[in-house]
Amino acid sequence: MKIHLISLVIGALALGAACSKEAPGAGKGATEQAAGAALAPANAAHAPKDVKPGSHEDWCGEHGVPESQCSRCNPELIPAFKATGDWCAEHGLPESQCLKCNPDLKIVRPPKES
């Protein structure tokens, strides 16, 4: 019985740590943002470090935004968004990516180059 309980606790902790880089305050906004990424393969959650910004490969499958602009995975981007006035303090992400404030917002992954 104790082993079963320990297994459940470990499993719950593992599920709760989906994105160890998530910025504070992302909370519920991350759920809606990730909805567009639900079809992304599990191994394609994040773009490689050397990817060309704005390309098809520059995509955070976990949050449904370009990886080069994902402040939840790259919190060092937050000051730049704030400096340009593109910040939703209520939801803790760029206003240009906030589906709570802009429910009609469409963030589309660029097509693959042939």
Side-chain angles (χ1 to χ4, degrees):
M1 179 81 160
K2 279 187 175 183
I3 293 175
H4 181 63
L5 181 59
I6 291 171
S7 296
L8 287 174
V9 170
I10 291 171
L13 289 173
L15 286 174
C19 180
S20 60
K21 300 180 200 174
E22 188 167 40
K28 293 179 186 173
T31 304
E32 286 82 13
Q33 211 61 30
L39 301 176
N43 62 352
H46 298 284
K49 299 263 186 239
D50 61 345
V51 73
K52 177 184 170 189
S55 68
H56 176 79
E57 291 75 23
D58 178 29
W59 195 252
C60 175
E62 187 168 356
H63 299 116
V65 298
E67 185 80 37
S68 61
Q69 297 176 21
C70 186
S71 61
R72 285 166 283 184
C73 291
N74 306 306
E76 64 274 5
L77 299 173
I78 293 172
F81 282 109
K82 287 182 175 181
T84 61
D86 185 11
W87 190 252
C88 174
E90 181 179 356
H91 299 115
L93 62 147
E95 189 70 41
S96 61
Q97 299 173 10
C98 186
L99 293 173
K100 286 278 191 178
C101 294
N102 306 298
D104 295 331
L105 181 66
K106 302 287 185 230
I107 301 172
V108 180
R109 185 175 188 175
K112 282 187 178 184
E113 293 181 15
S114 351

